PDB file of all heavy atoms in Angstrom:
ATOM      1  N   MET A 288      11.697  -2.069  -0.391  1.00 96.00           N
ATOM      2  CA  MET A 288      11.567  -0.653  -0.525  1.00 96.00           C
ATOM      3  C   MET A 288      11.306  -0.052   0.874  1.00 96.00           C
ATOM      4  O   MET A 288      10.508  -0.619   1.572  1.00 96.00           O
ATOM      5  CB  MET A 288      10.345  -0.318  -1.454  1.00 96.00           C
ATOM      6  CG  MET A 288      10.269   1.137  -1.733  1.00 96.00           C
ATOM      7  SD  MET A 288      10.203   1.756  -3.457  1.00 96.00           S
ATOM      8  CE  MET A 288      11.661   1.130  -4.354  1.00 96.00           C
ATOM      9  N   LEU A 289      12.108   1.022   1.165  1.00 98.00           N
ATOM     10  CA  LEU A 289      11.893   1.612   2.478  1.00 98.00           C
ATOM     11  C   LEU A 289      10.806   2.769   2.365  1.00 98.00           C
ATOM     12  O   LEU A 289      10.673   3.327   1.230  1.00 98.00           O
ATOM     13  CB  LEU A 289      13.273   2.262   2.842  1.00 98.00           C
ATOM     14  CG  LEU A 289      14.420   1.340   2.883  1.00 98.00           C
ATOM     15  CD1 LEU A 289      15.709   2.159   3.065  1.00 98.00           C
ATOM     16  CD2 LEU A 289      14.227   0.388   4.022  1.00 98.00           C
ATOM     17  N   GLU A 290      10.275   3.093   3.528  1.00 98.00           N
ATOM     18  CA  GLU A 290       9.195   4.189   3.479  1.00 98.00           C
ATOM     19  C   GLU A 290       9.401   5.150   4.582  1.00 98.00           C
ATOM     20  O   GLU A 290       9.773   4.694   5.704  1.00 98.00           O
ATOM     21  CB  GLU A 290       7.819   3.537   3.514  1.00 98.00           C
ATOM     22  CG  GLU A 290       7.483   2.735   2.269  1.00 98.00           C
ATOM     23  CD  GLU A 290       6.061   2.254   2.264  1.00 98.00           C
ATOM     24  OE1 GLU A 290       5.318   2.577   3.179  1.00 98.00           O
ATOM     25  OE2 GLU A 290       5.793   1.534   1.263  1.00 98.00           O
ATOM     26  N   VAL A 291       9.035   6.406   4.428  1.00 98.00           N
ATOM     27  CA  VAL A 291       9.136   7.397   5.415  1.00 98.00           C
ATOM     28  C   VAL A 291       7.822   8.244   5.197  1.00 98.00           C
ATOM     29  O   VAL A 291       7.421   8.544   4.110  1.00 98.00           O
ATOM     30  CB  VAL A 291      10.337   8.342   5.362  1.00 98.00           C
ATOM     31  CG1 VAL A 291      10.129   9.520   6.359  1.00 98.00           C
ATOM     32  CG2 VAL A 291      11.505   7.487   5.736  1.00 98.00           C
ATOM     33  N   ARG A 292       7.176   8.567   6.356  1.00 98.00           N
ATOM     34  CA  ARG A 292       6.001   9.385   6.313  1.00 98.00           C
ATOM     35  C   ARG A 292       5.924  10.320   7.504  1.00 98.00           C
ATOM     36  O   ARG A 292       6.179   9.902   8.558  1.00 98.00           O
ATOM     37  CB  ARG A 292       4.737   8.453   6.274  1.00 98.00           C
ATOM     38  CG  ARG A 292       3.394   9.143   6.276  1.00 98.00           C
ATOM     39  CD  ARG A 292       2.246   8.111   6.449  1.00 98.00           C
ATOM     40  NE  ARG A 292       1.022   8.844   6.486  1.00 98.00           N
ATOM     41  CZ  ARG A 292       0.145   8.948   5.423  1.00 98.00           C
ATOM     42  NH1 ARG A 292       0.512   8.273   4.349  1.00 98.00           N
ATOM     43  NH2 ARG A 292      -1.025   9.472   5.581  1.00 98.00           N
ATOM     44  N   ARG A 293       5.733  11.547   7.196  1.00 98.00           N
ATOM     45  CA  ARG A 293       5.502  12.582   8.266  1.00 98.00           C
ATOM     46  C   ARG A 293       4.334  13.355   8.003  1.00 98.00           C
ATOM     47  O   ARG A 293       3.947  13.793   6.821  1.00 98.00           O
ATOM     48  CB  ARG A 293       6.778  13.491   8.371  1.00 98.00           C
ATOM     49  CG  ARG A 293       7.991  12.726   8.802  1.00 98.00           C
ATOM     50  CD  ARG A 293       7.958  12.173  10.164  1.00 98.00           C
ATOM     51  NE  ARG A 293       9.282  11.694  10.618  1.00 98.00           N
ATOM     52  CZ  ARG A 293       9.513  10.359  10.522  1.00 98.00           C
ATOM     53  NH1 ARG A 293       8.712   9.556   9.938  1.00 98.00           N
ATOM     54  NH2 ARG A 293      10.705   9.933  11.036  1.00 98.00           N
ATOM     55  N   GLU A 294       3.624  13.797   8.988  1.00 97.00           N
ATOM     56  CA  GLU A 294       2.421  14.676   8.876  1.00 97.00           C
ATOM     57  C   GLU A 294       2.316  15.632  10.076  1.00 97.00           C
ATOM     58  O   GLU A 294       2.785  15.313  11.154  1.00 97.00           O
ATOM     59  CB  GLU A 294       1.094  13.844   8.523  1.00 97.00           C
ATOM     60  CG  GLU A 294       0.861  12.797   9.520  1.00 97.00           C
ATOM     61  CD  GLU A 294      -0.282  11.835   8.944  1.00 97.00           C
ATOM     62  OE1 GLU A 294      -0.833  12.083   7.833  1.00 97.00           O
ATOM     63  OE2 GLU A 294      -0.706  11.032   9.800  1.00 97.00           O
ATOM     64  N   GLU A 295       1.495  16.675   9.795  1.00 97.00           N
ATOM     65  CA  GLU A 295       1.442  17.623  10.831  1.00 97.00           C
ATOM     66  C   GLU A 295       0.129  18.544  10.557  1.00 97.00           C
ATOM     67  O   GLU A 295      -0.148  18.775   9.427  1.00 97.00           O
ATOM     68  CB  GLU A 295       2.518  18.627  10.806  1.00 97.00           C
ATOM     69  CG  GLU A 295       2.654  19.705  11.832  1.00 97.00           C
ATOM     70  CD  GLU A 295       2.741  19.150  13.336  1.00 97.00           C
ATOM     71  OE1 GLU A 295       3.790  18.570  13.623  1.00 97.00           O
ATOM     72  OE2 GLU A 295       1.702  19.288  14.083  1.00 97.00           O
ATOM     73  N   THR A 296      -0.469  18.849  11.687  1.00 97.00           N
ATOM     74  CA  THR A 296      -1.648  19.744  11.546  1.00 97.00           C
ATOM     75  C   THR A 296      -1.112  21.153  11.607  1.00 97.00           C
ATOM     76  O   THR A 296      -0.367  21.452  12.514  1.00 97.00           O
ATOM     77  CB  THR A 296      -2.742  19.424  12.591  1.00 97.00           C
ATOM     78  OG1 THR A 296      -3.130  18.113  12.531  1.00 97.00           O
ATOM     79  CG2 THR A 296      -3.921  20.372  12.564  1.00 97.00           C
ATOM     80  N   LEU A 297      -1.701  21.979  10.647  1.00 97.00           N
ATOM     81  CA  LEU A 297      -1.247  23.455  10.640  1.00 97.00           C
ATOM     82  C   LEU A 297      -2.431  24.300  10.970  1.00 97.00           C
ATOM     83  O   LEU A 297      -3.591  23.960  10.604  1.00 97.00           O
ATOM     84  CB  LEU A 297      -0.704  23.768   9.258  1.00 97.00           C
ATOM     85  CG  LEU A 297       0.475  22.851   8.767  1.00 97.00           C
ATOM     86  CD1 LEU A 297       0.868  23.191   7.386  1.00 97.00           C
ATOM     87  CD2 LEU A 297       1.713  22.953   9.770  1.00 97.00           C
ATOM     88  N   GLY A 298      -2.226  25.476  11.512  1.00 96.00           N
ATOM     89  CA  GLY A 298      -3.300  26.301  11.822  1.00 96.00           C
ATOM     90  C   GLY A 298      -3.841  27.226  10.790  1.00 96.00           C
ATOM     91  O   GLY A 298      -4.512  28.241  11.048  1.00 96.00           O
ATOM     92  N   THR A 299      -3.545  27.015   9.488  1.00 96.00           N
ATOM     93  CA  THR A 299      -3.936  27.733   8.319  1.00 96.00           C
ATOM     94  C   THR A 299      -4.736  26.875   7.319  1.00 96.00           C
ATOM     95  O   THR A 299      -4.368  25.727   7.260  1.00 96.00           O
ATOM     96  CB  THR A 299      -2.678  28.376   7.674  1.00 96.00           C
ATOM     97  OG1 THR A 299      -1.936  29.189   8.659  1.00 96.00           O
ATOM     98  CG2 THR A 299      -3.085  29.218   6.468  1.00 96.00           C
ATOM     99  N   ASP A 300      -5.534  27.499   6.666  1.00 96.00           N
ATOM    100  CA  ASP A 300      -6.486  26.751   5.700  1.00 96.00           C
ATOM    101  C   ASP A 300      -5.551  26.029   4.689  1.00 96.00           C
ATOM    102  O   ASP A 300      -4.456  26.469   4.320  1.00 96.00           O
ATOM    103  CB  ASP A 300      -7.485  27.613   5.091  1.00 96.00           C
ATOM    104  CG  ASP A 300      -6.736  28.565   4.130  1.00 96.00           C
ATOM    105  OD1 ASP A 300      -6.366  29.676   4.714  1.00 96.00           O
ATOM    106  OD2 ASP A 300      -6.778  28.398   2.991  1.00 96.00           O
ATOM    107  N   ALA A 301      -6.137  24.884   4.149  1.00 97.00           N
ATOM    108  CA  ALA A 301      -5.432  24.004   3.238  1.00 97.00           C
ATOM    109  C   ALA A 301      -5.006  24.789   1.948  1.00 97.00           C
ATOM    110  O   ALA A 301      -3.928  24.645   1.403  1.00 97.00           O
ATOM    111  CB  ALA A 301      -6.200  22.848   2.949  1.00 97.00           C
ATOM    112  N   GLN A 302      -5.932  25.622   1.430  1.00 97.00           N
ATOM    113  CA  GLN A 302      -5.578  26.342   0.156  1.00 97.00           C
ATOM    114  C   GLN A 302      -4.351  27.315   0.358  1.00 97.00           C
ATOM    115  O   GLN A 302      -3.526  27.366  -0.582  1.00 97.00           O
ATOM    116  CB  GLN A 302      -6.893  27.179  -0.325  1.00 97.00           C
ATOM    117  CG  GLN A 302      -6.568  27.804  -1.653  1.00 97.00           C
ATOM    118  CD  GLN A 302      -6.225  26.766  -2.785  1.00 97.00           C
ATOM    119  OE1 GLN A 302      -6.912  25.880  -2.870  1.00 97.00           O
ATOM    120  NE2 GLN A 302      -5.281  27.053  -3.488  1.00 97.00           N
ATOM    121  N   THR A 303      -4.218  27.944   1.482  1.00 97.00           N
ATOM    122  CA  THR A 303      -3.128  28.790   1.773  1.00 97.00           C
ATOM    123  C   THR A 303      -1.801  27.978   1.774  1.00 97.00           C
ATOM    124  O   THR A 303      -0.822  28.402   1.046  1.00 97.00           O
ATOM    125  CB  THR A 303      -3.213  29.681   3.002  1.00 97.00           C
ATOM    126  OG1 THR A 303      -4.438  30.408   2.947  1.00 97.00           O
ATOM    127  CG2 THR A 303      -2.057  30.490   3.301  1.00 97.00           C
ATOM    128  N   VAL A 304      -1.793  26.905   2.456  1.00 98.00           N
ATOM    129  CA  VAL A 304      -0.630  26.011   2.537  1.00 98.00           C
ATOM    130  C   VAL A 304      -0.312  25.453   1.150  1.00 98.00           C
ATOM    131  O   VAL A 304       0.766  25.530   0.639  1.00 98.00           O
ATOM    132  CB  VAL A 304      -0.876  24.951   3.497  1.00 98.00           C
ATOM    133  CG1 VAL A 304       0.320  23.981   3.562  1.00 98.00           C
ATOM    134  CG2 VAL A 304      -1.065  25.523   4.981  1.00 98.00           C
ATOM    135  N   TRP A 305      -1.386  24.946   0.412  1.00 98.00           N
ATOM    136  CA  TRP A 305      -1.253  24.352  -0.890  1.00 98.00           C
ATOM    137  C   TRP A 305      -0.562  25.438  -1.824  1.00 98.00           C
ATOM    138  O   TRP A 305       0.277  25.088  -2.662  1.00 98.00           O
ATOM    139  CB  TRP A 305      -2.479  23.978  -1.396  1.00 98.00           C
ATOM    140  CG  TRP A 305      -2.396  23.390  -2.878  1.00 98.00           C
ATOM    141  CD1 TRP A 305      -2.991  23.860  -3.974  1.00 98.00           C
ATOM    142  CD2 TRP A 305      -1.769  22.155  -3.217  1.00 98.00           C
ATOM    143  NE1 TRP A 305      -2.676  23.115  -5.020  1.00 98.00           N
ATOM    144  CE2 TRP A 305      -1.866  22.038  -4.617  1.00 98.00           C
ATOM    145  CE3 TRP A 305      -0.935  21.241  -2.555  1.00 98.00           C
ATOM    146  CZ2 TRP A 305      -1.345  21.027  -5.314  1.00 98.00           C
ATOM    147  CZ3 TRP A 305      -0.354  20.183  -3.227  1.00 98.00           C
ATOM    148  CH2 TRP A 305      -0.572  20.092  -4.741  1.00 98.00           C
ATOM    149  N   SER A 306      -1.074  26.652  -1.803  1.00 97.00           N
ATOM    150  CA  SER A 306      -0.558  27.726  -2.704  1.00 97.00           C
ATOM    151  C   SER A 306       0.971  27.839  -2.556  1.00 97.00           C
ATOM    152  O   SER A 306       1.717  28.130  -3.531  1.00 97.00           O
ATOM    153  CB  SER A 306      -1.182  29.075  -2.368  1.00 97.00           C
ATOM    154  OG  SER A 306      -2.519  28.977  -2.782  1.00 97.00           O
ATOM    155  N   LEU A 307       1.514  27.546  -1.318  1.00 98.00           N
ATOM    156  CA  LEU A 307       2.909  27.726  -1.169  1.00 98.00           C
ATOM    157  C   LEU A 307       3.644  26.449  -1.588  1.00 98.00           C
ATOM    158  O   LEU A 307       4.628  26.535  -2.354  1.00 98.00           O
ATOM    159  CB  LEU A 307       3.240  28.036   0.360  1.00 98.00           C
ATOM    160  CG  LEU A 307       4.699  28.155   0.689  1.00 98.00           C
ATOM    161  CD1 LEU A 307       5.413  29.347   0.076  1.00 98.00           C
ATOM    162  CD2 LEU A 307       4.825  28.224   2.173  1.00 98.00           C
ATOM    163  N   VAL A 308       3.287  25.318  -1.098  1.00 98.00           N
ATOM    164  CA  VAL A 308       4.006  24.087  -1.325  1.00 98.00           C
ATOM    165  C   VAL A 308       3.854  23.562  -2.795  1.00 98.00           C
ATOM    166  O   VAL A 308       4.768  22.782  -3.233  1.00 98.00           O
ATOM    167  CB  VAL A 308       3.642  22.931  -0.313  1.00 98.00           C
ATOM    168  CG1 VAL A 308       4.044  23.415   1.109  1.00 98.00           C
ATOM    169  CG2 VAL A 308       2.267  22.498  -0.347  1.00 98.00           C
ATOM    170  N   SER A 309       2.769  23.926  -3.349  1.00 97.00           N
ATOM    171  CA  SER A 309       2.578  23.397  -4.760  1.00 97.00           C
ATOM    172  C   SER A 309       3.361  24.127  -5.865  1.00 97.00           C
ATOM    173  O   SER A 309       3.405  23.623  -6.871  1.00 97.00           O
ATOM    174  CB  SER A 309       1.045  23.357  -5.135  1.00 97.00           C
ATOM    175  OG  SER A 309       0.597  24.694  -5.288  1.00 97.00           O
ATOM    176  N   ASP A 310       4.008  25.231  -5.473  1.00 97.00           N
ATOM    177  CA  ASP A 310       4.832  25.881  -6.449  1.00 97.00           C
ATOM    178  C   ASP A 310       6.149  25.077  -6.498  1.00 97.00           C
ATOM    179  O   ASP A 310       7.104  25.519  -5.833  1.00 97.00           O
ATOM    180  CB  ASP A 310       5.008  27.372  -5.931  1.00 97.00           C
ATOM    181  CG  ASP A 310       5.689  28.246  -6.908  1.00 97.00           C
ATOM    182  OD1 ASP A 310       6.135  27.791  -7.986  1.00 97.00           O
ATOM    183  OD2 ASP A 310       5.868  29.436  -6.683  1.00 97.00           O
ATOM    184  N   PHE A 311       6.171  24.114  -7.250  1.00 97.00           N
ATOM    185  CA  PHE A 311       7.175  23.132  -7.213  1.00 97.00           C
ATOM    186  C   PHE A 311       8.624  23.651  -7.369  1.00 97.00           C
ATOM    187  O   PHE A 311       9.494  23.315  -6.671  1.00 97.00           O
ATOM    188  CB  PHE A 311       6.987  22.173  -8.479  1.00 97.00           C
ATOM    189  CG  PHE A 311       7.787  20.977  -8.458  1.00 97.00           C
ATOM    190  CD1 PHE A 311       7.732  20.077  -7.488  1.00 97.00           C
ATOM    191  CD2 PHE A 311       8.720  20.720  -9.536  1.00 97.00           C
ATOM    192  CE1 PHE A 311       8.447  18.871  -7.452  1.00 97.00           C
ATOM    193  CE2 PHE A 311       9.554  19.581  -9.597  1.00 97.00           C
ATOM    194  CZ  PHE A 311       9.434  18.639  -8.541  1.00 97.00           C
ATOM    195  N   GLY A 312       8.828  24.657  -8.144  1.00 96.00           N
ATOM    196  CA  GLY A 312      10.119  25.274  -8.230  1.00 96.00           C
ATOM    197  C   GLY A 312      10.650  26.259  -7.214  1.00 96.00           C
ATOM    198  O   GLY A 312      11.793  26.574  -7.197  1.00 96.00           O
ATOM    199  N   ASN A 313       9.736  26.572  -6.276  1.00 96.00           N
ATOM    200  CA  ASN A 313      10.035  27.488  -5.250  1.00 96.00           C
ATOM    201  C   ASN A 313      10.183  26.849  -3.865  1.00 96.00           C
ATOM    202  O   ASN A 313       9.885  27.558  -2.931  1.00 96.00           O
ATOM    203  CB  ASN A 313       9.087  28.639  -5.353  1.00 96.00           C
ATOM    204  CG  ASN A 313       9.360  29.502  -6.538  1.00 96.00           C
ATOM    205  OD1 ASN A 313      10.404  29.798  -6.890  1.00 96.00           O
ATOM    206  ND2 ASN A 313       8.204  29.997  -7.141  1.00 96.00           N
ATOM    207  N   ILE A 314      10.604  25.759  -3.760  1.00 97.00           N
ATOM    208  CA  ILE A 314      10.799  24.951  -2.515  1.00 97.00           C
ATOM    209  C   ILE A 314      11.642  25.871  -1.559  1.00 97.00           C
ATOM    210  O   ILE A 314      11.554  25.788  -0.286  1.00 97.00           O
ATOM    211  CB  ILE A 314      11.147  23.633  -2.571  1.00 97.00           C
ATOM    212  CG1 ILE A 314      11.086  22.839  -1.207  1.00 97.00           C
ATOM    213  CG2 ILE A 314      12.558  23.443  -3.173  1.00 97.00           C
ATOM    214  CD1 ILE A 314      11.289  21.379  -1.281  1.00 97.00           C
ATOM    215  N   ALA A 315      12.627  26.566  -2.142  1.00 96.00           N
ATOM    216  CA  ALA A 315      13.613  27.325  -1.256  1.00 96.00           C
ATOM    217  C   ALA A 315      12.855  28.527  -0.598  1.00 96.00           C
ATOM    218  O   ALA A 315      13.359  29.027   0.413  1.00 96.00           O
ATOM    219  CB  ALA A 315      14.690  27.933  -2.209  1.00 96.00           C
ATOM    220  N   ASP A 316      11.564  28.746  -0.953  1.00 96.00           N
ATOM    221  CA  ASP A 316      10.816  29.717  -0.315  1.00 96.00           C
ATOM    222  C   ASP A 316      10.342  29.309   1.036  1.00 96.00           C
ATOM    223  O   ASP A 316      10.044  30.155   1.895  1.00 96.00           O
ATOM    224  CB  ASP A 316       9.654  30.221  -1.065  1.00 96.00           C
ATOM    225  CG  ASP A 316      10.061  31.080  -2.324  1.00 96.00           C
ATOM    226  OD1 ASP A 316      11.166  31.518  -2.393  1.00 96.00           O
ATOM    227  OD2 ASP A 316       9.060  31.267  -3.220  1.00 96.00           O
ATOM    228  N   TRP A 317      10.307  28.018   1.280  1.00 97.00           N
ATOM    229  CA  TRP A 317       9.781  27.551   2.529  1.00 97.00           C
ATOM    230  C   TRP A 317      10.593  26.515   3.271  1.00 97.00           C
ATOM    231  O   TRP A 317      10.584  26.265   4.420  1.00 97.00           O
ATOM    232  CB  TRP A 317       8.427  27.148   2.482  1.00 97.00           C
ATOM    233  CG  TRP A 317       8.168  25.934   1.546  1.00 97.00           C
ATOM    234  CD1 TRP A 317       7.919  26.086   0.116  1.00 97.00           C
ATOM    235  CD2 TRP A 317       8.113  24.616   1.802  1.00 97.00           C
ATOM    236  NE1 TRP A 317       7.698  24.901  -0.347  1.00 97.00           N
ATOM    237  CE2 TRP A 317       7.823  23.918   0.523  1.00 97.00           C
ATOM    238  CE3 TRP A 317       8.288  23.875   2.922  1.00 97.00           C
ATOM    239  CZ2 TRP A 317       7.794  22.627   0.523  1.00 97.00           C
ATOM    240  CZ3 TRP A 317       8.300  22.515   2.814  1.00 97.00           C
ATOM    241  CH2 TRP A 317       8.036  21.849   1.702  1.00 97.00           C
ATOM    242  N   HIS A 318      11.427  25.782   2.516  1.00 97.00           N
ATOM    243  CA  HIS A 318      12.122  24.677   3.211  1.00 97.00           C
ATOM    244  C   HIS A 318      13.611  25.218   3.566  1.00 97.00           C
ATOM    245  O   HIS A 318      14.373  25.633   2.849  1.00 97.00           O
ATOM    246  CB  HIS A 318      12.368  23.472   2.263  1.00 97.00           C
ATOM    247  CG  HIS A 318      12.727  22.209   2.940  1.00 97.00           C
ATOM    248  ND1 HIS A 318      13.941  22.129   3.516  1.00 97.00           N
ATOM    249  CD2 HIS A 318      12.042  21.042   3.081  1.00 97.00           C
ATOM    250  CE1 HIS A 318      14.004  20.872   4.079  1.00 97.00           C
ATOM    251  NE2 HIS A 318      12.823  20.280   3.855  1.00 97.00           N
ATOM    252  N   PRO A 319      13.893  25.047   4.795  1.00 96.00           N
ATOM    253  CA  PRO A 319      15.142  25.619   5.365  1.00 96.00           C
ATOM    254  C   PRO A 319      16.431  25.026   4.898  1.00 96.00           C
ATOM    255  O   PRO A 319      17.507  25.680   4.915  1.00 96.00           O
ATOM    256  CB  PRO A 319      15.004  25.523   6.897  1.00 96.00           C
ATOM    257  CG  PRO A 319      14.170  24.345   7.100  1.00 96.00           C
ATOM    258  CD  PRO A 319      13.082  24.411   5.954  1.00 96.00           C
ATOM    259  N   ALA A 320      16.373  23.847   4.298  1.00 95.00           N
ATOM    260  CA  ALA A 320      17.639  23.252   3.917  1.00 95.00           C
ATOM    261  C   ALA A 320      17.995  23.648   2.434  1.00 95.00           C
ATOM    262  O   ALA A 320      19.128  23.376   2.047  1.00 95.00           O
ATOM    263  CB  ALA A 320      17.401  21.624   3.797  1.00 95.00           C
ATOM    264  N   CYS A 321      17.052  24.349   1.846  1.00 96.00           N
ATOM    265  CA  CYS A 321      17.360  24.773   0.401  1.00 96.00           C
ATOM    266  C   CYS A 321      17.747  26.233   0.367  1.00 96.00           C
ATOM    267  O   CYS A 321      17.022  27.175   0.769  1.00 96.00           O
ATOM    268  CB  CYS A 321      15.996  24.634  -0.338  1.00 96.00           C
ATOM    269  SG  CYS A 321      15.267  22.924  -0.379  1.00 96.00           S
ATOM    270  N   SER A 322      18.908  26.446  -0.184  1.00 95.00           N
ATOM    271  CA  SER A 322      19.355  27.825  -0.339  1.00 95.00           C
ATOM    272  C   SER A 322      18.952  28.432  -1.643  1.00 95.00           C
ATOM    273  O   SER A 322      18.847  29.660  -1.687  1.00 95.00           O
ATOM    274  CB  SER A 322      20.917  27.910  -0.150  1.00 95.00           C
ATOM    275  OG  SER A 322      21.516  27.106  -1.130  1.00 95.00           O
ATOM    276  N   ALA A 323      18.561  27.626  -2.592  1.00 96.00           N
ATOM    277  CA  ALA A 323      18.100  28.110  -3.839  1.00 96.00           C
ATOM    278  C   ALA A 323      17.335  27.050  -4.611  1.00 96.00           C
ATOM    279  O   ALA A 323      17.619  25.856  -4.325  1.00 96.00           O
ATOM    280  CB  ALA A 323      19.264  28.646  -4.742  1.00 96.00           C
ATOM    281  N   SER A 324      16.346  27.381  -5.349  1.00 97.00           N
ATOM    282  CA  SER A 324      15.701  26.421  -6.218  1.00 97.00           C
ATOM    283  C   SER A 324      15.228  27.193  -7.467  1.00 97.00           C
ATOM    284  O   SER A 324      14.917  28.298  -7.533  1.00 97.00           O
ATOM    285  CB  SER A 324      14.558  25.813  -5.460  1.00 97.00           C
ATOM    286  OG  SER A 324      13.609  26.822  -5.081  1.00 97.00           O
ATOM    287  N   SER A 325      15.089  26.340  -8.509  1.00 97.00           N
ATOM    288  CA  SER A 325      14.505  26.808  -9.772  1.00 97.00           C
ATOM    289  C   SER A 325      13.738  25.759 -10.430  1.00 97.00           C
ATOM    290  O   SER A 325      13.980  24.542 -10.146  1.00 97.00           O
ATOM    291  CB  SER A 325      15.635  27.374 -10.668  1.00 97.00           C
ATOM    292  OG  SER A 325      16.530  26.244 -10.946  1.00 97.00           O
TER     293      SER A 325
END
């Protein structure tokens, strides 16, 4: 099994970041490779 891991420190509190990334169906709101998501 292959593995990849990336991490980064962000200048905003964890709850604000979590509110964005945890909205599973809305990855197109923040990931540049996604033109649409549902």
Side-chain angles (χ1 to χ4, degrees):
M288 187 126 305
L289 304 172
E290 295 185 1
V291 171
R292 177 186 178 100
R293 295 293 185 269
E294 50 189 7
E295 180 68 65
T296 300
L297 305 174
T299 302
D300 66 281
Q302 186 57 50
T303 300
V304 176
W305 177 248
S306 292
L307 179 65
V308 300
S309 67
D310 189 356
F311 189 67
N313 287 319
I314 190 171
D316 287 351
W317 60 271
H318 198 295
C321 304
S322 59
S324 60
S325 61

